[in-house]
Amino acid sequence: MKLTLYTDYSLRMLVFLGAKEEGELSNIKEIADAYNISKNHLMKVTHELGKLGYIETIRGRNGGIRLAKKPSNINIGEVVRKTEDDFHIVECFVDPGRCSITPICGLRHVFAEALQAFLAVLDRYTLNDFLADKDMLRIFLESDASIM
């Protein structure tokens, strides 16, 4: 199973904003530069994370983006569920009729159980769990230290 870039970028944005001082504003360019990713992709992520209530956007000359919730209130499993398109690990999750052995196959149930276990692990963590060393995180995000 592979998460979409959209979910990856959503998590990265939340980590970036969580590493900032509480209430400190950032902008998309800063985040794009820190991770060397597309500003256009991040604009879409910003819009969606705002609609979902994870971040708030402040318009205007001195505007920017920041977390709308405390990092301890942002559950990673919830974020992944809300940003992933689907969790169709195998074709029979989408269309059980496409495979001739679906009625007797045990794989579908094993993959469903594995998916639930995957999400259960993510549910045990909040954004705060990834911000333990904010000072070091900021060093990596604000410089080229991430390529060491």
Side-chain angles (χ1 to χ4, degrees):
M1 185 175 140
K2 182 178 178 180
L3 296 177
T4 60
L5 280 178
Y6 189 83
T7 297
D8 179 14
Y9 292 173
S10 295
L11 293 169
R12 290 191 207 196
M13 179 175 279
L14 292 172
V15 167
F16 185 95
L17 297 174
K20 295 290 186 177
E21 294 298 324
E22 188 174 340
E24 184 179 350
L25 294 172
S26 298
N27 63 54
I28 292 172
K29 183 181 180 336
E30 282 180 89
I31 300 168
D33 290 348
Y35 291 118
N36 195 27
I37 56 180
S38 163
K39 282 177 26 180
N40 289 336
H41 287 357
L42 286 182
M43 288 174 66
K44 294 174 189 172
V45 167
T46 300
H47 178 72
E48 187 63 24
L49 290 177
K51 283 184 6 185
L52 293 171
Y54 294 117
I55 65 172
E56 69 177 321
T57 57
I58 292 87
R59 295 192 176 271
R61 188 170 192 215
N62 295 316
I65 54 178
R66 63 183 170 212
L67 291 179
K69 299 179 174 188
K70 291 188 179 300
S72 59
N73 292 330
I74 299 176
N75 181 272
I76 299 303
E78 179 183 289
V79 172
V80 169
R81 281 182 185 85
K82 289 183 176 181
T83 57
E84 271 301 299
D85 289 340
D86 64 61
F87 291 98
H88 303 140
I89 298 173
V90 289
E91 187 176 51
C92 59
F93 278 19
V94 182
D95 184 4
R98 280 193 58 117
C99 180
S100 59
I101 66 168
T102 297
I104 60 164
C105 181
L107 282 175
R108 182 175 183 198
H109 302 291
V110 170
F111 281 113
E113 182 181 348
L115 174 60
Q116 292 310 310
F118 172 76
L119 293 170
V121 169
L122 296 178
D123 287 339
R124 294 194 323 240
Y125 295 93
T126 68
L127 179 59
N128 200 52
D129 293 314
F130 305 105
L131 303 174
D133 192 347
K134 281 188 176 186
D135 292 333
M136 187 59 76
L137 192 53
R138 279 194 288 268
I139 289 169
F140 273 78
L141 290 169
E142 294 171 359
S143 72
D144 291 333
S146 59
I147 58 173
M148 283 198 246

